[in-house]
Amino acid sequence: MKIVFANSAHVSAPERFVLRGGRWTRIPLKVRYGFIDHPKLGPVLIDTGYGPQVTNAGNRSAALRLYARVLNPKLVDDEQPEPLLAHYGYGCGDVRFVIITHFHADHVSHLGAFPNARFIASTQAWRTISRRSHMGNVAHGVFTELLPQDLEDRLVCTSSSNPVPAPLTLSEGADLFGDGSVLAIDLPGHADGQFGVCFATLDTPLLYAVDVEWHNTALLAGRSPGKPASLITHDGQASRTSAAAVRRFKAAGGEILLCHDPSDSRFDHGAGDR
């Protein structure tokens, strides 16, 4: 099973905003999403990263235009989902599943590009989004205009997957494909219903911990940033609990990857070329 993480864009921010005690120098944060070439299911995506739907689509709402202006993501054209899939011999129509770790704009921008995909997401997250008003969702970083209108009809909730033991210090996860290879691990705090993705059958289990932190050093050294980063955390106590769980997994011998960490990973697309 091939596992690759592409970088859809860079977002520049002062290091101090993502690492307590960091410099004021701006650093380019990555905006990763995952690609799995599953032996039975074919191409599966984990989120979809940023795309032109956020940065320059003509029909964007005023709120989404403001969001894009403030964060100013710089797209990486050759690592958008369509060219990435083509690199591995697939097209968007071949994707049968997209795993949505949470519904923030930098994770769902391309969902409309996959007409044949089912969407795997948290039951809790979707119920919360469905109940909130448009502006209530915007206040939580969720832009429903980026979501396919038939998303609910194509939704597969993680609660429908069998819970199985997870490796090392993780207690259990939802077995997304029934073969124990890809587990959804609850990592609440950053956003409604956020979960990570654990590749349990690798020789060294890998946990994609998404946005538990944005910087690897902030996570492993306990240097979580204060304001303004803390202002957009959904639940501060839950976020700290999730970060502690990821640190225990790492200390027990697991490997971790974060969505926005600026350092390179051996799982990054093109890592073998560096």
Side-chain angles (χ1 to χ4, degrees), residues 24-35:
W24 284 107
T25 305
R26 299 183 76 88
I27 59 173
L29 302 175
K30 299 188 179 188
V31 185
R32 290 182 172 93
Y33 67 96
F35 164 81

Side-chain angles (χ1 to χ4, degrees), residues 27-169:
I27 59 173
L29 302 175
K30 299 188 179 188
V31 185
R32 290 182 172 93
Y33 67 96
F35 164 81
I36 306 168
D37 197 352
H38 191 278
K40 292 184 179 179
L41 301 175
V44 174
L45 295 185
I46 305 171
D47 298 328
T48 66
Y50 272 133
Q53 302 87 345
V54 169
T55 59
N56 58 24
N59 59 348
R60 291 172 297 165
S61 66
L64 187 54
R65 288 174 185 271
L66 177 61
Y67 169 93
R69 187 175 302 121
V70 170
L71 292 179
N72 194 26
K74 303 297 186 184
L75 300 185
V76 180
D77 292 338
D78 61 357
E79 294 199 35
Q80 296 291 295
E82 186 172 358
L84 180 80
L85 287 164
H87 179 82
Y88 293 105
Y90 295 111
C92 291
D94 297 317
V95 176
R96 294 177 56 189
F97 291 98
V98 179
I99 300 168
I100 305 172
T101 63
H102 61 292
F103 285 89
H104 284 171
D106 55 332
H107 295 262
V108 302
S109 295
H110 288 276
L111 290 185
F114 305 102
N116 301 319
R118 303 290 301 277
F119 301 120
I120 301 173
S122 159
T123 309
Q124 171 203 338
W126 179 246
R127 286 176 178 168
T128 299
I129 289 167
S130 300
R131 287 196 302 263
R132 276 198 304 241
S133 67
H134 170 70
M135 290 310 298
N137 278 316
V138 168
H140 286 82
V142 176
F143 295 84
T144 53
E145 66 199 81
L146 296 173
L147 305 180
Q149 292 186 349
D150 63 347
L151 185 145
E152 186 165 11
D153 295 334
R154 298 158 64 185
L155 195 64
V156 178
C157 291
T158 54
S159 59
S160 66
S161 300
N162 291 328
V164 298
L168 302 176
T169 58

Side-chain angles (χ1 to χ4, degrees), residues 222-245:
R223 293 172 59 185
S224 298
K227 295 178 181 178
S230 61
L231 295 175
I232 62 173
T233 298
H234 176 66
D235 183 328
Q237 181 56 54
S239 184
R240 289 186 288 273
T241 299
S242 292

